[in-house]
Amino acid sequence: MSTPTVSVIVVSRGRAADLPLCLLGISQLDYPNFEVVLVADSDGLSAVRELLFFDDLKVIEFNEANISAARNLGIAEAAGEVVAFIDDDAVPEPTWLNYLTAGFRDPDVAAAGGFVIGRNGISFQWKARSVDVFGEAAALEVAEDQISVLTPSNGCAIKTEGTNMALRRDVIAQMGGFDPAFRFYLDETDVNFRLMYAGYRTAIAPLAQVHHGYRASATRRSDRVPTDLFEIGASLAVYLRKHASGNFETLVRARHDQRRRVLRHMVNGLVEPRDVRRLLASFDKGVAVGKSREILVIRAIPNAATGFQPMERRPSSDHAVLAGKRSELRRVLSDAETIVKEGGRASAFIFSTSARAHKVRFTNGGVWVQSGGLFGRSIRSGPRYLLNKRRKRISKEVKRLAMVRGFPTKSTWG
């Protein structure tokens, strides 16, 4: 399986405004053979019908609030050897699939995960982690420039993040996919444990990177304040029944963590005292439901009824690099968007004469934009002030991103 066929599955509900950007990023992937399976609610499908590549997508309308059931519908339509998952509020780096699939050359590897970048486009939200039977994750030390094939140990599974993970299609289909008892939370962690029980290994590919927007949803606001904790409580209770022999002691600690989280938002003026009571009540109600929620026998998912449907829209040229001063932003973006409209890919580096920290975003025009100060830091662990001339600083940033962004070996810019 040197270059497996891949089915990229995107599940979307309540994020019609974000979904087109996710799909636009996927359309720019530098991978030779992938299809896209979109499982979305009616609003999401309406939002993407005008995309130029909409007809290339396998589309399933699904309006229920159950991410596991939605993912299983995606697996059922997937004809690739590997199924890859990304959230509807995330955008992959162009080389994402190249790195994410490389670990499957090892026949014992059934799952792969990459690193997830947070809202500023620079800092990592999640790297490599393990997870125990209580659903608690711990960081793992791995080399950040190469793939690590990991074997679960000490009763802990290797965790993959739902917004950046891949599975062998035949393995996850034979296992019956995701457990629908997990409607929102811990669904992929349950899969991690089931893979561990079956004796499989997991590949962690640090260079397989996605940018996670962490947008508002039915259970949280855009400022990350939760609006409901019911499914977190319910899924945690189900998880403990399945993997911790029904040991619910950790629920006390989990409730305390949620209370502390909400109180922190209250101190910051984002919620009121009555919201704290309401949210904790929703957690308690979810726990009660989860303790008795039916856990069904999961049956194997059959092969896809339709054949592999590769994305026909492919980038037509090398990834262009453009640069300019803050005052040149409009012109540089216009030039970059023209390149994208003509079927290419483009990254723009726009630096002001300041020490502002850098940010990275993927625009609605399909352009990667890195902005900040010429003397500001891009890596948050680096020095706050960097003395560089403009051309040298741009060269450094291009070199830093070359492997994940897919820049030509010798990049030039205007």
Side-chain angles (χ1 to χ4, degrees), residues 120-136:
N120 63 20
I122 298 285
S123 305
F124 287 108
Q125 192 175 72
W126 298 303
K127 292 185 177 180
R129 300 195 288 173
S130 64
V131 62
D132 65 16
V133 294
F134 300 109
E136 296 182 351

Side-chain angles (χ1 to χ4, degrees), residues 102-125:
F104 291 106
R105 294 168 186 157
D106 184 330
D108 293 330
V109 168
F115 282 15
V116 179
I117 299 170
R119 285 182 170 184
N120 63 20
I122 298 285
S123 305
F124 287 108
Q125 192 175 72

Side-chain angles (χ1 to χ4, degrees), residues 218-229:
T219 58
R220 72 166 179 262
R221 300 184 334 212
S222 60
D223 57 4
R224 303 191 184 191
V225 174
T227 57
D228 187 270
L229 297 174

Side-chain angles (χ1 to χ4, degrees), residues 74-251:
I75 295 171
E77 288 297 320
E81 298 166 276
V82 169
V83 288
F85 295 89
I86 185 170
D87 286 353
D88 55 358
D89 62 345
V91 177
E93 286 282 359
T95 59
W96 175 52
L97 289 182
N98 301 64
Y99 295 114
L100 191 62
T101 61
F104 291 106
R105 294 168 186 157
D106 184 330
D108 293 330
V109 168
F115 282 15
V116 179
I117 299 170
R119 285 182 170 184
N120 63 20
I122 298 285
S123 305
F124 287 108
Q125 192 175 72
W126 298 303
K127 292 185 177 180
R129 300 195 288 173
S130 64
V131 62
D132 65 16
V133 294
F134 300 109
E136 296 182 351
L140 289 173
E141 293 294 328
V142 298
E144 297 196 7
D145 59 353
Q146 63 186 40
I147 292 173
S148 296
V149 176
L150 305 178
T151 301
S153 61
N154 300 320
C156 292
I158 308 302
K159 184 168 175 53
T160 54
E161 311 300 342
T163 190
N164 187 0
M165 66 181 291
L167 302 162
R168 288 188 190 270
R169 201 271 179 194
D170 58 347
V171 171
I172 188 62
Q174 186 60 38
M175 290 172 55
F178 293 78
D179 186 344
F182 298 92
R183 299 177 183 176
F184 163 72
Y185 178 62
L186 292 172
D187 48 305
E188 70 273 10
T189 308
D190 171 67
V191 167
N192 296 152
F193 262 89
R194 289 156 59 201
L195 290 172
M196 180 183 75
Y197 299 149
Y200 290 108
R201 307 177 78 194
T202 297
I204 297 298
L207 295 176
Q209 297 179 6
V210 302
H211 294 247
H212 188 209
Y214 214 75
R215 304 293 189 187
S217 69
T219 58
R220 72 166 179 262
R221 300 184 334 212
S222 60
D223 57 4
R224 303 191 184 191
V225 174
T227 57
D228 187 270
L229 297 174
F230 176 87
E231 282 300 342
I232 288 180
S235 291
L236 181 55
V238 171
Y239 183 87
L240 295 174
R241 289 167 59 196
K242 290 188 69 173
H243 302 294
S245 302
N247 184 341
F248 295 123
E249 291 181 11
T250 191
L251 286 171

Side-chain angles (χ1 to χ4, degrees), residues 250-309:
T250 191
L251 286 171
V252 176
R253 186 166 62 251
R255 188 184 192 279
H256 175 74
D257 290 343
Q258 293 296 336
R259 181 176 182 274
R260 185 170 53 186
R261 170 191 178 194
V262 178
L263 286 175
R264 187 167 60 247
H265 289 309
M266 187 183 73
V267 170
N268 292 331
L270 299 176
V271 298
E272 298 181 9
R274 65 172 180 270
D275 295 317
V276 177
R277 293 190 294 271
R278 177 183 58 79
L279 286 168
L280 291 176
S282 71
F283 179 85
D284 294 339
K285 184 177 180 181
V287 167
V289 170
K291 285 182 176 181
S292 59
R293 179 176 285 174
E294 185 177 11
I295 302 175
L296 302 173
V297 175
I298 307 175
R299 302 189 183 281
I301 298 174
N303 291 334
T306 57
F308 191 75
Q309 186 173 317

